[in-house]
Amino acid sequence: QVQLVESGGGFVQPGDSLRLSCAASGRTFSPRAMGWFRQAPGKEREFVAVIRWSAGNTYYADSVKGRFTISRDKSKNTLTLQMNTLTPEDTGVYYCAADPSIILSSMFEPRHYRYWGQGTQVTVSS
């Protein structure tokens, strides 16, 4: 059984930065990819960023490209999301996700991920 636990959310002002972390545990944790998704009130969960666990290739939603950076520490089974220049449109619950067998073409859709964290709230407001 894989468990994902996010941390690092909070209330910030526009232009501020936040760093989210996701700690993964499980005896056989070996994902093919891990990603960050977010869900704003009244909206569907959407793709933010994903990283291929072994190779480290990263992919971003256009709305966060150049502002967010996803990274992973394979030795610690942790995933991070550095978020800079935050805007109110970045507000939402941020979830980390992992899957052991996801293919490249499916990595941007939340429905293809098997494991999810409980989410961490990010609120950007003046």
Side-chain angles (χ1 to χ4, degrees), residues 62-122:
D62 288 342
S63 59
V64 307
K65 203 171 294 183
R67 300 187 298 121
F68 290 12
T69 302
I70 187 172
S71 60
R72 85 313 190 209
D73 185 330
K74 295 168 65 177
S75 66
K76 297 180 179 179
N77 285 345
T78 57
L79 181 74
T80 61
L81 184 69
Q82 178 66 43
M83 305 186 295
N84 298 328
T85 320
L86 286 161
T87 73
E89 289 69 36
D90 295 316
T91 294
V93 179
Y94 282 68
Y95 300 89
C96 73
D99 195 275
S101 59
I102 197 168
I103 61 175
L104 178 60
S105 60
S106 298
M107 288 195 301
F108 314 111
E109 298 180 36
R111 61 188 176 96
H112 292 294
Y113 284 80
R114 183 177 306 181
Y115 304 111
W116 289 88
Q118 81 289 351
T120 185
Q121 177 70 44
V122 172

Side-chain angles (χ1 to χ4, degrees), residues 33-69:
M34 288 192 73
W36 288 99
F37 295 80
R38 66 188 181 189
Q39 188 164 17
K43 295 187 177 181
E44 294 186 353
R45 194 169 299 188
E46 66 174 4
F47 163 72
V48 175
V50 66
I51 188 167
R52 297 178 73 175
W53 192 253
S54 180
N57 305 77
T58 57
Y59 307 86
Y60 297 92
D62 288 342
S63 59
V64 307
K65 203 171 294 183
R67 300 187 298 121
F68 290 12
T69 302

Side-chain angles (χ1 to χ4, degrees), residues 3-54:
Q3 289 187 325
L4 304 177
V5 179
E6 302 98 335
S7 62
F11 187 103
V12 296
Q13 294 186 335
D16 286 351
S17 298
L18 273 178
R19 185 178 180 88
L20 305 183
S21 295
C22 175
S25 62
R27 290 182 60 186
T28 59
F29 184 73
S30 181
R32 180 165 290 181
M34 288 192 73
W36 288 99
F37 295 80
R38 66 188 181 189
Q39 188 164 17
K43 295 187 177 181
E44 294 186 353
R45 194 169 299 188
E46 66 174 4
F47 163 72
V48 175
V50 66
I51 188 167
R52 297 178 73 175
W53 192 253
S54 180

